[in-house]
Amino acid sequence: MAAERSTAATPGLKEPRTDRGRRTLRAILDAAAVELGDRGFHETGITHITQRAGVALGTFYTYFDSKEDVFHALVRDYSDKVRDGARGALADATDQIDAERRGLDWFLHFAREHREIYRIIDQAEFVDPGVFRYHYESTVARIRQRLENAAARGEVRADVGEVHAWAIGGMNVFLGLRYGVWSDEEDLSGIARIANDMLAKGLAPE
C-alpha cells in the first residue's frame, strides 16, 4: 500500500505518534543523511546528528537506541523515497517502455540532488548487510512486478523475469553513479532517453 512506510518495521525505531514527533524524526533522519554522507558511518557520532538536527541528545534516544538503528532507518527511508518518487514519475507513462524512461529520468535527477545516497547505501553492505540487500532486492522486485504486469498487457516480451529486472536495476544504479553523482554537466533526460532506446531496441544493428 502506498501509505505504508518501511521505517515502521525498522528495528530500534520508536515510531512517533504525533505530528510534532514525526517532524522531529524527519529532522533526525535528514541530519543523519548529511552527517553519514559527509563523514561516513564510523566517523559520525550521535552528537553530530543531534547538533545538525537541532535536538537534544536525549531526544535522539526517544526514537532510536543506537547509531546503527538510525542508519538502518535511513537506508529504508531512502528506499521509500526511491519507491514513491518512481511511482509518481511513472503515473503518466503511455506504456512500460515509456515508464522505464520516466523512472530512470526521475532517478538520475534524484541521485544528482542526493549524492549522499550512494555513500550511505555502499556503507550499508558492511554496517548492516541485511538492510543493504533489502534496498536492492525490494527495488528490483518492484521493477520485476512492473515488467510482468506489462508483459500481461502485451507491452513487453512475454518472458520477462528476474534477470531482466536485475539488468534494468543495475543499469539505473550505474547511470545514476556516473551521471548523477560524478557529473553536473550532462543532460540527464537525454541520458535516460539513450538508455531507454537501448532497452527498447537492444544492441543489434538496425
Side-chain angles (χ1 to χ4, degrees), residues 82-143:
V82 171
R83 178 198 65 200
D84 295 344
R87 180 181 292 156
L90 272 53
D92 296 326
T94 57
D95 57 29
Q96 194 56 41
I97 299 297
D98 182 50
E100 295 306 321
R101 178 191 61 78
R102 289 170 180 263
L104 176 57
D105 193 328
W106 176 85
F107 178 71
L108 294 176
H109 284 88
F110 179 80
R112 184 169 284 179
E113 294 172 6
H114 301 276
R115 287 175 165 88
E116 74 281 357
I117 187 174
Y118 275 83
R119 187 175 188 188
I120 290 169
I121 298 299
D122 285 349
Q123 292 177 83
E125 182 178 9
F126 306 100
V127 175
D128 190 335
V131 78
F132 177 77
R133 287 193 60 167
Y134 163 83
H135 172 74
Y136 285 114
E137 289 180 342
S138 61
T139 298
V140 172
R142 292 192 296 271
I143 296 173

Side-chain angles (χ1 to χ4, degrees), residues 31-41 44 71 74 119-120 123:
V34 175
E35 294 296 332
L36 291 164
D38 287 348
R39 299 174 185 269
F41 179 81
T44 298
F71 183 88
L74 183 61
R119 187 175 188 188
I120 290 169
Q123 292 177 83

Side-chain angles (χ1 to χ4, degrees), residues 12 31 86 99 156 188:
V156 300
L188 297 179

